[in-house]
Amino acid sequence: MSETPAIELRKINKSFGAVHANKDIDLVVKKGSIHGIIGENGAGKSTLMSILYGFYQADTGDILVNGNKVTISDSKAAIGMGIGMVHQHFMLVDNFTVLENVVLGAEDSALLAGGLNRARSELHRLETEYELRVDPEAITGELPVGLQQRVEILKALYRSAEVLILDEPTGVLTPAEADHLFKILEVLKNEGKTILLITHKLREIMAATDMVSVMRRGEMVATRETKNTSMEELAELMVGRSVLLRVDKKPAEPKAPVLEVENLTVTDSRGVEVVKDVSFKVHEGEIVGIAGVSGNGQSELLETLSGIRRATRGTLKINGETIDLANRAPDAADMRAKSMGHVPEDRHRMGLINSFAEYENSILGYHRDPAYSKGLLLDLPAIKKNAVDEIEKYDIRPPNPMLKTANFSGGNQQKVVLAREIERDPNILLVGQPTRGVDIGAIEFIHKRLIELRDAGKGILLVSVELDEIRGLSDRVLVMFDGKVVGERGADAEESDLGLLMAGIEDNKIAVEGDVQ
Amino acid sequence: MFETLILTLDSTVRLSTPLLLACLAGLYSERSGIVDIGLEGKMLGAAFGAGAVAYITGNAWIGLMAGIAVSIGLALIHGFASITNRGNQIVSGVAINFLAAGLTALLGQTWFSQGGRTPSLQGDGRFRDIVLPGAEQVRDVPIIGPIYAELLSGHNILVYAAFVAVPVTWWVLFRTRFGLRLRAVGENPAAVDTAGISVTWLRYRAVIACGILCGLAGSYLSIAQSAGFIKDMTAGKGFIALAALIFAKWRPASAMFACLLFGFLDATAIRMQGQEVPGIGEIPVQFFQALPYILTVILLAGFIGKAIPPKAAGIPYLKERS
């Protein structure tokens, strides 16, 4: 293998103040390969890629592109060297057409017409060569995310990128869209492009890459050929200790029902029915998982049950008390008073106020609790003591209740929310996407806490788009599609079976089993 | 009746001109993501600069250059505060309005001692009306004659410049590289940055374009429409222009119609002054003066479609540290 590597990094160092984000990083990326870089959030993957794409300059170290030492002073220089990047948050102008987005920054001349025409024919060529089909005249913001990502890839290819960096590309994609993306990457690879795939998802590394490098706390700890490694080994390398990828739990011992939902129908602001006549029960000591591709009514279901959204029809029986969710619907505070905890799906939008200190976030929604208030005033010493206790119990890092939660990593932010809701000792806990954007070490911890809560005899309703999580944690699984519950399965449900239900194919159980056997 | 209409429309054109110039100025700035509440201040500064210099030199063109220079200077202050230092754009804009209001009155009094006015302009100190070829000959032709001779002919050069600026702005915005980047930076500056284009320089150019147009608007007031600067002579026109910009949903052609509408309301107000409307009585002038704002509020409340500003407008761009 004497071929010159497409990219070679030698002893790259980068610090932000006291934080040493990249320490002596060496990396060799072979031409025409898919090279994965995996690591937990904050391991330094994004910083390293930003250096390669010219967003930051390395403090020390060399970058070699095709064997030549280069300085990449800005993104323009990176583009000039054939390096393209697909960012985690798309760098697209929503109200531009696809064509305008592709051309932006590579317009050829001061007048647009020429550049647009060249781009139109070039897109047509790329479309046939790589099967990247997008309507060039479509308004970008109106396209589904999968297609927007394709526009990002086209942008890079239009600038004749030979090396393509993808930063957490599947975070916003449905499983089907992610599979499609990997197929595209395979085609690109076969056409001789080099791909750097940044992710924290082990499954993707195993599915899509040829080589994988693992980063931990700013250092490159290992590089492996993907076919000679395993998820377990990679997880251990990422975290620095062995990690349990499977959730360890005893069979559930469900008792009396704590939450009974009957004929729930929810209409959204556009007048569309998003939850359609849903009924189910959650018992003490069981975790009920709601699976489904995101956007099939799970979010609205969770919001209605937690008192944030009003239903059109339906009742809720909680601790034996019947509540009409359509008329005189309780609000979030009422639901909390009924001993229902809620870990919202989007912690940034609904779970935390990131410009608040950790101790303030640790009582959001419970600030009227006599334990934390004295008359009109907050009982700050009590609040801070509670925060310190939770930080210790949940291993929240850094262990500083005065720090704004904006400065915490995703996993630690999520722990703040979980600690707040679980420590109030609710009889029912609603949990939405508990591990979205959370690293492996924290996922393990969060899953353990949820199982402990179940074993303490509480009822848990879990909504997640991660099928592995649903299957690992749930004692019963309900699948939602188009606002309806289309099926119920036990803890041992087959992935393929759930997958078909998620795609809206009902009553396929027998057929699927027939196929598998 | 027809004659009244023509005369009202004629003054509509004159009254719309400064609004239109200021509105297009705001369009460049806001399309790039820099909210500009300081249109008023820049116009006022330009009006003073133009009035003073035109008086001293006796040359309207030099006066115009001075007006534009003052306006660009104020625009650069706004740019420095909001682009380079990522300050709050509203605060910076308000500050510029106060600065211009105070400074023009103070300097006017100090230099010319006429209570904040600049001395009356004579002869070439002012832009004079241009009579289009053949205007006098066709004046007596029914319908077309008065339209050509009164409405189209007989305005000063800045009026024509304002209306020519509309298609030019459209062309710049939608047919040139600069326009594409300008629109992009107002929607998603990060996309521009990662494409290897300087967000800062792009926004500065937009702010300078805004300064030039505000300079024309202000100069029009003092050395074309009037014969000299009067204290606070903009009288809220910068804010009306801002309202027109929202009304036009940040689009050039719509901006022209919005400004013509607001200009027409103004012209009507003047014509209606002291006149009885049968069955209603006298309509207070203030009603017409308030109408542009009322219409804008109704628009913003969502009754006449939806006005969606450029997505990044008002938000300073900070390179994300991942």
Side-chain angles (χ1 to χ4, degrees), chain B residues 40-319:
Chain B
E40 174 87 0
K42 284 197 276 284
M43 274 169 86
L44 194 63
F48 176 75
V53 171
Y55 169 72
I56 293 163
T57 60
N59 185 320
W61 287 101
I62 299 177
L64 177 66
M65 289 303 126
I68 290 173
V70 170
S71 176
I72 290 178
L74 291 171
L76 287 176
I77 295 177
H78 187 52
F80 183 69
S82 52
I83 305 169
T84 306
N85 292 313
R86 302 186 191 95
N88 184 308
Q89 298 167 12
I90 303 293
V91 173
S92 162
V94 169
I96 282 169
N97 289 339
F98 277 118
L99 183 71
L103 218 52
T104 50
L106 178 76
L107 291 178
Q109 176 61 19
T110 317
W111 290 345
F112 305 106
S113 312
Q114 294 187 6
R117 287 165 170 267
T118 61
S120 249
L121 298 172
Q122 312 285 336
D124 285 339
R126 246 185 107 181
F127 284 112
R128 272 173 297 184
D129 293 346
I130 298 166
V131 177
L132 294 183
E136 288 315 311
Q137 288 81 336
V138 299
R139 185 172 285 278
D140 297 325
V141 180
I143 311 283
I144 299 168
I147 288 180
Y148 185 73
E150 275 299 329
L151 200 54
L152 298 180
S153 171
H155 297 290
N156 64 67
I157 183 95
L158 293 180
V159 175
Y160 298 111
F163 286 89
V164 169
V166 175
V168 169
T169 299
W170 177 86
W171 183 80
V172 167
L173 225 47
F174 296 100
R175 288 290 178 269
T176 69
R177 174 171 64 193
F178 173 68
L180 182 80
R181 293 176 174 190
L182 187 83
R183 287 183 289 134
V185 80
E187 289 289 329
N188 185 358
V192 170
D193 198 10
T194 50
I197 307 161
S198 163
V199 172
T200 307
W201 173 224
L202 196 50
R203 286 190 164 167
Y204 263 110
R205 280 188 286 171
V207 161
I208 290 170
C210 170
I212 294 172
L213 285 163
C214 266
L216 288 169
S219 304
Y220 173 83
L221 294 177
S222 64
I223 63 173
Q225 197 179 29
S226 316
F229 174 82
I230 305 163
K231 195 171 150 233
D232 291 331
M233 79 183 305
T234 45
K237 289 193 177 59
F239 296 108
I240 303 234
L242 216 49
L245 184 59
I246 297 167
F247 208 77
K249 299 172 186 174
W250 294 267
R251 286 193 295 250
S254 313
M256 182 179 76
F257 291 118
C259 289
L260 282 171
L261 172 67
F262 292 174
F264 177 74
L265 291 174
D266 208 1
T268 315
I270 295 167
R271 194 153 287 277
M272 299 291 281
Q273 216 159 3
Q275 284 191 20
E276 295 274 334
V277 176
I280 303 173
E282 193 178 325
I283 300 173
V285 182
Q286 286 81 358
F287 175 74
F288 288 98
Q289 286 170 341
L291 260 181
Y293 299 110
I294 294 171
L295 287 175
T296 305
V297 168
I298 292 173
L299 172 79
L300 285 177
F303 292 110
I304 328 172
K306 214 169 171 187
I308 304 163
K311 210 181 278 167
I315 308 163
Y317 178 61
L318 192 67
K319 211 176 213 177

Side-chain angles (χ1 to χ4, degrees), chain A residues 46-63:
Chain A
S46 293
T47 306
L48 189 65
M49 290 308 117
S50 298
I51 288 171
L52 191 53
Y53 192 61
F55 241 42
Y56 304 132
Q57 263 69 71
D59 299 337
T60 60
D62 295 325
I63 302 173

Side-chain angles (χ1 to χ4, degrees), chain A residues 307-435:
Chain A
I308 299 169
R309 189 184 276 271
R310 182 174 286 231
T312 330
R313 247 191 335 277
T315 56
L316 176 67
K317 221 183 265 176
I318 179 169
N319 307 321
E321 180 192 353
T322 304
I323 298 164
D324 184 349
L325 286 174
N327 307 306
R328 304 174 56 81
D331 64 17
D334 296 335
M335 295 312 293
R336 289 206 155 120
K338 294 182 200 307
S339 193
M340 177 190 275
H342 177 210
V343 177
E345 287 186 299
D346 184 344
R347 59 179 166 268
H348 295 131
R349 205 162 60 83
M350 301 174 99
L352 294 168
I353 300 174
N354 263 340
S355 56
F356 274 21
E358 193 277 338
Y359 79 90
E360 292 171 307
N361 272 303
S362 74
I363 56 144
L364 276 188
Y366 298 100
H367 50 282
R368 292 217 173 89
D369 189 326
Y372 309 124
S373 57
K374 284 189 219 157
L376 284 175
L377 304 178
L378 290 172
D379 184 355
L380 288 180
I383 293 171
K384 282 179 191 160
K385 178 168 181 315
N386 166 67
V388 170
D389 291 347
E390 286 180 0
I391 284 174
E392 199 188 311
K393 190 164 176 190
Y394 286 79
D395 190 26
I396 296 166
R397 279 183 243 182
N400 179 359
M402 307 308 286
L403 210 61
K404 285 180 188 170
T405 48
N407 298 324
F408 286 60
S409 72
N412 283 302
Q413 289 176 345
Q414 190 69 354
K415 284 189 199 170
V416 172
V417 180
L418 273 164
R420 179 178 76 211
E421 302 300 329
I422 294 179
E423 290 307 302
R424 291 324 131 231
D425 199 26
N427 287 332
I428 309 144
L429 186 66
L430 308 178
V431 192
Q433 319 296 350
T435 56

